[in-house]
C-alpha cells in the first residue's frame, strides 16, 4: 500500500511524540512492504507565531489531500489567554469541522503491569476494556457564543441527524465487541439531552435491538466510571460530556500518556492524536511517553488505511514493551528504571519482530 499521511506536530511535546509515531510507521512500512509518505504542516500555537492563523490554508490543503491526519498536541502557556481573539485550540476545532470527523473514539485498556500507576484499587481495574465514543462536531463547543459586560452565553444545539449518526457508529462498534452500549446524557435538566435520549432509544429499538442499552446521567456515569469501570463496553455521549469523561477515564490507566484517540467521519480519512496535552514543562526533554501517540498510529493503520494486521502488530509491540518493563517517567514505579522517549520508541519498534 502507498499512502500520504499529514503530520501536524503542533506544540509542546507534540513534535516529540509525533516523531515517535512516524518512526514506528516507517518501521511498519519496512516490515510489511508499504510506502508511507509524510507531509508536515503547522497547527496551533506555532502556527499562530509563524502565520497568525492556528490552522493555515496550507495545512488545510495538506489534510484534505492526505489519506489520514496525525496530530501531536496544541497549546501552551504562551497562548493561554482565554480572552485572546486567536488561540491554538481554534485550529483544532476548525480542523475537526473541516474534516467532518464527528466521532471521537477513545479506547481505555488496562495493562496489568501498570495497575500500580493508577490511583484506583487493583481489584476495581481488573478486566477494564472500554471505548468512549464522543460526538465531536456539535454541542456547546460549536454553538453560537455571545458576551457583553454583564453576561455571556454558549448555545448547545443538537439535531436528530447528528445524534443518529454518532449513536449508530457506537452501536455498530458495540456489536463488534461485547454487545453493550451505555448512553450518557443529562436528560433530567437539558432539552438537548432529552432529544438525545429519545433518539437513542428509538434507534436502538429499531436498528440495534440485540445490543444491551444502559442509560446514565452524566454525573452518575462519572461516579460509575471509577467505581465499576469493568462493567462498561462502549460509552456514547455528547461533545462536552465526552471531553470530561474521557479525561477522567485516563486515570484508570494512571497516565494520559497511554491513551490514543481516533476521530472519524463518513469517509476513511481520520484524525489521530494522543489525548494528552502539550505538556510544555517537559517539551524537548526527551522524557514524554510516546505510547499514546504510537497507539494512535495503530488506530490510523486500522481505520484509515485498512491495515488490521499492521495495527495489531503495533499494539502488541506496545504491550510487549510494557510487559518487558519499559517505563517512561509518567508510569515508572518505585524501584523501576526510567527510559527516554526515544528508548521507549526503540523498544516498541524492536517488538514489531
Amino acid at each position: 500500500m502507498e499512502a500520504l499521511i499529514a503530520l501536524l506536530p503542533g506544540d509542546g511535546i507534540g513534535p516529540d511524540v509525533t516523531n515517535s509515531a512516524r518512526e514506528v510507521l516507517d518501521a511498519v512500512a519496512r516490515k510489511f512492504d508499504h510506502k508511507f509518505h509524510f507531509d508536515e504542516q503547522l497547527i496551533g500555537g506555532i502556527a499562530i507565531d509563524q502565520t497568525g492563523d492556528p490552522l493555515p490554508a496550507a495545512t488545510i490543503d495538506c489534510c484534505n489531500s492526505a489519506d489520514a491526519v496525525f496530530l501531536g498536541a496544541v497549546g501552551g502557556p504562551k497562548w493561554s489567554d482565554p480572552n485572546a481573539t486567536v488561540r491554538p485550540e481554534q485550529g483544532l476545532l476548525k480542523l475537526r469541522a473541516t474534516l467532518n470527523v464527528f466521532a471521537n473514539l477513545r479506547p481505555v485498556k488496562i495493562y496489568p503491569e501498570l495497575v500500580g500507576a493508577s490511583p484506583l484499587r487493583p481489584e476495581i481495574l481488573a478486566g477494564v476494556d472500554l471505548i468512549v465514543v464522543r460526538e465531536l462536531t456539535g454541542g456547546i463547543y460549536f454553538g453560537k457564543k455571545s458576551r457583553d459586560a454583564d453576561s455571556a452565553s454558549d448555545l448547545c444545539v443538537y439535531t436528530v441527524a447528528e445524534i443518529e449518526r454518532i449513536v449508530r457508529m457506537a452501536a455498530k462498534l458495540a456489536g463488534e465487541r461485547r454487545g453493550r452500549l451505555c448512553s450518557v446524557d443529562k436528560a433530567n435538566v437539558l432539552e438537548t439531552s432529552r432529544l438525545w435520549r429519545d433518539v437513542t432509544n428509538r434507534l436502538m429499538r429499531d436498528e440495534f435491538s440485540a445490543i444491551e442499552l444502559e442509560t446514565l446521567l452524566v454525573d452518575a456515569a462519572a461516579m460509575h466510571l471509577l467505581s465499576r469501570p469493568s462493567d462498561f463496553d462502549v460509552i456514547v455521549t455528547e461533545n462536552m460530556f465526552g471531553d470530561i469523561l474521557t479525561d477522567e477515564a485516563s486515570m484508570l490507566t494512571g497516565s494520559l500518556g497511554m491513551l490514543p484517540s481516533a476521530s472519524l467521519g463518513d469517509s476513511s480519512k481520520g484524525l489521530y492524536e494522543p489525548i494528552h496535552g502539550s505538556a510544555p514543562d517537559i517539551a524537548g526533554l526527551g522524557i514524554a511517553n510516546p505510547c499514546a501517540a504510537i497507539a494512535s498510529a495503530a488506530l490510523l493503520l486500522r481505520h484509515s488505511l485498512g491495515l488490521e494486521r499492521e495495527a495489531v502488530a503495533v499494539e502488541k509491540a506496545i504491550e510487549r514493551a510494557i510487559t518487558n518493563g519499559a517505563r517512561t517517567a509518567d508510569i515508572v514505579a518505585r524501584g523501576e528504571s526510567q527510559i527516554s522517549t526515544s528508548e521507549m520508541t526503540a523498544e516498541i519498534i524492536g517488538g514489531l519482530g
Side-chain angles (χ1 to χ4, degrees), residues 22-36 349 352:
R22 178 174 183 164
E23 288 184 8
V24 171
L25 288 171
D26 278 334
V28 167
R30 290 192 300 269
K31 178 177 174 59
F32 293 95
D33 195 25
H34 301 304
K35 290 184 179 180
F36 298 152
I349 291 173
L352 287 173

Side-chain angles (χ1 to χ4, degrees), residues 61 80 105 114 136-137 214-215 234 265 268 320 327 338:
D61 291 342
S80 63
L105 277 59
L114 297 184
L136 202 58
T137 57
E214 177 183 20
T215 302
V234 178
S268 61
R320 191 171 294 116
R327 301 286 187 273
Q338 176 181 322

Side-chain angles (χ1 to χ4, degrees), residues 169-238:
M169 180 178 286
K172 289 179 180 178
L173 187 60
E176 297 168 359
R177 289 169 50 90
R178 302 195 302 276
R180 300 202 305 272
L181 180 67
C182 177
S183 177
V184 175
D185 60 39
K186 191 64 176 172
N188 59 334
V189 175
L190 301 176
E191 199 61 47
T192 47
S193 280
R194 285 189 273 273
L195 176 65
W196 184 285
R197 184 172 295 196
D198 288 345
V199 171
T200 299
N201 287 341
R202 171 181 56 77
L203 191 69
M204 297 302 294
R205 181 188 64 244
D206 293 348
E207 297 184 24
F208 300 96
S209 58
I211 302 297
E212 177 186 338
L213 175 65
E214 177 183 20
T215 302
L216 289 176
L217 297 175
V218 65
D219 40 358
M223 177 182 67
H224 291 304
L225 194 55
L226 297 182
S227 63
R228 56 176 185 93
S230 62
D231 289 345
F232 292 104
D233 183 15
V234 178
I235 299 172
V236 64
T237 191
E238 60 103 72

Side-chain angles (χ1 to χ4, degrees), residues 301-316:
L301 292 167
R302 173 175 292 120
H303 294 290
S304 282
L305 304 186
L307 301 176
E308 178 65 20
R309 178 179 59 159
E310 290 82 341
V312 170
V314 173
E315 290 164 346
K316 287 188 177 299

Side-chain angles (χ1 to χ4, degrees), residues 84-126:
T85 56
V86 179
R87 300 185 302 279
E89 295 76 13
Q90 293 170 335
L92 179 55
L93 293 177
K94 184 177 178 181
L95 179 62
R96 291 169 177 169
T98 299
L99 297 176
N100 195 27
V101 285
F102 60 82
N104 182 237
L105 277 59
R106 296 191 175 185
V108 180
K109 187 174 181 179
I110 306 297
Y111 294 95
E113 296 83 4
L114 297 184
V115 165
S118 173
L120 300 183
R121 298 195 309 272
E123 61 269 24
I124 292 177
L125 298 173

